C-alpha cells in the first residue's frame, strides 16, 4: 500500500532538493528526446496494412465484443492498438537507458553470447562488490524458459564478472520497474530456485531461497547473492526512497502539459479510476515548482502501478 499523503510529501522533498530536482530535469530531457524519436517511428494511419501485424483472430473476437458489422469500424481501433503494442515493447528499455546512469549505474550493451549478455546494468562498488542487474518492465513479463536461463547464467558467469571487475562479491538483482510481488506471476522467484539447482557441488548455500526472495552462496573465495526486487523495492535500491517518484515526475513533465482545471467531475469507465487519481487530501495552498496542480492526478495515476492499494 502507498499513501497519497506520503507521495506528495516525497514530491515536496524532491522539489526542495537541488540534486533531486537536477535529476528530474535531466531525465525529463532524456525521456522527451527518446519518446519523440520513438513516436516518429510508429506506423501512422496512412501506413500499409502489413505494417500493423494484426491477428485475424483478435480482430474477429474484438469485433464480436464491440458488435461491429463493417471493417471500417474495427479499422479505427487498429492504429492506437498498434501504438500501445509498439510502446510496450520499447518503453522498459527506454526507461532503463535513461535512469541507470542518473543513479550511478552503467548500461550493459546488448552483446549476444557474452558473459554479460544477461545483464542490463552494472556498478562497481568501492567495497569490492560487483553489482549487476537484469531488468524487466512489469511483474508478468517473465516466463519459465527466461527464468531458467537467467538463473543458470548468473551461476555460470558470476566468477567471470568478479574477475573482470576485481570484485570479491557479486550482488545480482532481478529488478522489475513497476508492480508488486503480489502482482508477480512468481516466475521471478523461479530464477532463485533455478540458481539453487544449477550450483556446482563446490558451492555452499548460506541463505536458501525457500520462502524467501533472495539466495546467497559461497564458491571458493567468491560470495554471490541474488535478490528479486519488484517496483518500489527496485527503485529504493537504485536511488533511494524517492527515486520512483523522481522518475514519475520526470515522465509527467516530459509527456503531460499543464492545463486548466476541469469544470465538473469527469465520468470514468474504469470503476475506481476517479478514486485513484483523486488528490483532495492536499491542502488548497500546496504548491511545488516541478508539477502544476493539473498534473497531480497523473502522479496518482502512475503511483497506482507501484502498489496494490493507494490510500489517502
Amino acid at each position: 500500500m502507498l499513501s497519497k499523503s506520503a507521495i506528495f510529501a516525497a514530491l515536496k522533498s524532491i522539489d526542495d532538493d537541488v540534486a533531486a530536482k537536477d535529476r528530474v530535469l535531466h531525465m525529463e530531457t532524456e525521456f522527451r528526446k527518446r519518446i519523440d524519436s520513438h513516436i516518429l517511428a510508429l506506423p501512422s494511419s496512412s501506413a500499409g496494412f502489413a505494417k500493423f501485424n494484426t491477428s485475424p483472430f483478435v480482430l474477429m473476437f474484438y469485433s464480436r465484443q464491440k458488435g461491429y458489422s463493417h471493417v471500417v469500424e474495427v479499422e479505427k481501433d487498429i492504429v492506437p492498438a498498434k501504438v500501445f503494442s509498439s510502446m510496450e515493447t520499447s518503453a522498459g528499455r527506454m526507461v532503463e537507458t535513461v535512469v541507470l546512469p542518473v543513479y550511478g549505474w552503467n548500461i550493459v550493451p546488448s552483446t549476444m553470447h557474452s558473459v554479460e549478455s544477461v545483464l542490463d546494468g552494472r556498478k562497481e562498488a568501492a567495497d569490492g562488490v560487483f553489482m549487476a542487474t537484469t531488468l524487466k518492465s512489469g511483474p508478468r513479463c517473465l516466463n519459465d524458459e527466461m527464468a531458467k536461463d537467467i538463473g543458470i547464467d548468473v551461476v555460470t558467469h558470476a566468477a567471470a564478472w568478479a574477475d573482470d571487475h576485481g570484485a570479491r562479491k557479486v550482488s545480482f538483482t532481478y529488478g522489475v520497474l513497476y508492480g508488486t510481488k503480489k502482482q508477480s506471476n512468481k516466475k521471478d522467484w523461479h530464477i532463485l530456485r533455478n540458481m539453487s539447482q544449477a550450483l556446482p557441488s563446490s558451492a555452499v548455500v548460506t541463505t536458501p531461497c525457500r520462502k524467501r526472495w533472495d539466495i546467497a552462496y559461497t564458491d571458493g573465495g567468491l560470495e554471490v547473492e541474488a535478490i528479486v526486487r519488484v517496483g518500489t523495492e527496485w527503485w529504493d535500491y537504485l536511488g533511494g526512497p524517492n527515486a520512483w517518484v523522481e522518475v514519475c515526475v520526470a515522465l509527467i513533465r516530459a509527456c503531460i502539459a499543464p492545463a486548466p482545471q476541469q469544470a465538473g467531475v469527469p465520468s470514468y469507465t474504469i470503476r475506481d479510476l476517479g478514486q485513484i487519481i483523486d488528490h483532495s487530501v492536499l491542502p488548497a495552498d500546496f504548491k511545488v515548482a516541478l508539477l502544476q496542480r493539473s498534473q497531480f492526478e497523473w502522479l496518482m495515476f502512475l503511483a497506482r502501478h507501484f502498489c496494490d492499494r493507494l490510500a489517502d
Side-chain angles (χ1 to χ4, degrees):
M1 183 184 76
L2 288 175
S3 158
K4 293 180 181 180
S5 298
I7 294 168
F8 282 111
L11 174 61
K12 185 73 171 94
S13 175
I14 294 165
D15 201 63
D16 293 337
D17 184 329
V18 174
K21 190 180 291 188
D22 285 345
R23 287 193 295 268
V24 169
L25 297 179
H26 174 78
M27 288 189 287
E28 173 194 354
T29 300
E30 293 302 311
F31 280 138
R32 188 178 287 116
K33 285 194 304 186
R34 285 167 170 78
I35 292 167
D36 288 349
S37 177
H38 178 70
I39 289 172
L40 288 174
L42 291 171
S44 68
S45 55
S46 61
F49 182 69
K51 185 83 171 177
F52 294 94
N53 299 313
T54 52
S55 162
F57 316 119
V58 172
L59 290 175
M60 290 297 94
F61 298 169
Y62 184 78
S63 296
R64 165 67 175 171
Q65 180 197 22
K66 292 293 186 179
Y68 290 160
S69 299
H70 301 282
V71 170
V72 69
E73 295 174 290
V74 74
E75 187 262 356
K76 65 180 171 52
D77 296 327
I78 290 176
V79 174
K82 178 60 179 177
V83 168
F84 261 96
S85 175
S86 298
M87 287 184 175
E88 285 178 350
T89 301
S90 62
R93 186 59 181 172
M94 189 187 301
V95 170
E96 297 165 17
T97 302
V98 171
V99 303
L100 285 173
V102 169
Y103 295 105
W105 286 61
N106 297 312
I107 299 164
V108 179
S110 299
T111 305
M112 296 296 289
H113 308 300
S114 73
V115 296
E116 291 190 359
S117 59
V118 69
L119 302 180
D120 294 310
R122 66 189 176 210
K123 181 179 181 180
E124 298 173 26
D127 55 358
V129 179
F130 175 66
M131 302 161 70
T133 186
T134 295
L135 298 171
K136 293 294 180 186
S137 293
R140 301 181 187 92
C141 293
L142 203 62
N143 59 38
D144 287 323
E145 183 177 356
M146 295 163 69
K148 182 177 181 180
D149 290 344
I150 294 171
I152 292 174
D153 280 347
V154 173
V155 171
T156 302
H157 299 307
W161 299 342
D163 288 344
D164 289 347
H165 297 276
R168 56 172 180 77
K169 179 179 179 179
V170 170
S171 180
F172 171 81
T173 292
Y174 174 79
V176 183
L177 301 184
Y178 69 88
T180 67
K181 288 194 171 93
K182 184 177 179 180
Q183 297 166 12
S184 164
N185 61 9
K186 303 304 183 285
K187 304 298 182 184
D188 38 19
W189 179 84
H190 288 198
I191 293 172
L192 309 177
R193 187 200 67 185
N194 289 319
M195 285 182 63
S196 67
Q197 294 175 346
L199 290 175
S201 57
S202 56
V204 177
V205 176
T206 54
T207 303
C209 62
R210 178 175 165 78
K211 296 184 178 181
R212 295 176 61 96
W213 289 86
D214 62 328
I215 187 173
Y217 65 90
T218 60
D219 190 7
L222 179 66
E223 298 177 56
V224 179
E225 66 177 9
I227 305 172
V228 174
R229 293 182 166 99
V230 181
T232 56
E233 297 169 342
W234 157 250
W235 294 108
D236 289 354
Y237 173 70
L238 181 71
N242 290 342
W244 74 272
V245 182
E246 292 178 12
V247 174
C248 287
V249 172
L251 283 167
I252 293 167
R253 288 179 57 90
C255 301
I256 308 297
Q261 290 294 110
Q262 297 180 90
V265 179
S267 177
Y268 298 102
T269 302
I270 299 173
R271 174 177 52 82
D272 57 345
L273 185 55
Q275 179 184 356
I276 289 169
I277 67 174
D278 174 70
H279 50 276
S280 58
V281 65
L282 284 177
D285 60 349
F286 181 89
K287 290 182 180 179
V288 290
L290 285 172
L291 291 181
Q292 300 302 305
R293 202 167 188 94
S294 67
Q295 296 169 309
F296 290 170
E297 66 178 26
W298 288 93
L299 181 56
M300 299 296 93
F301 188 47
L302 296 186
R304 181 58 183 84
H305 293 79
F306 294 84
C307 62
D308 297 311
R309 187 166 71 89
L310 196 56
D312 289 341

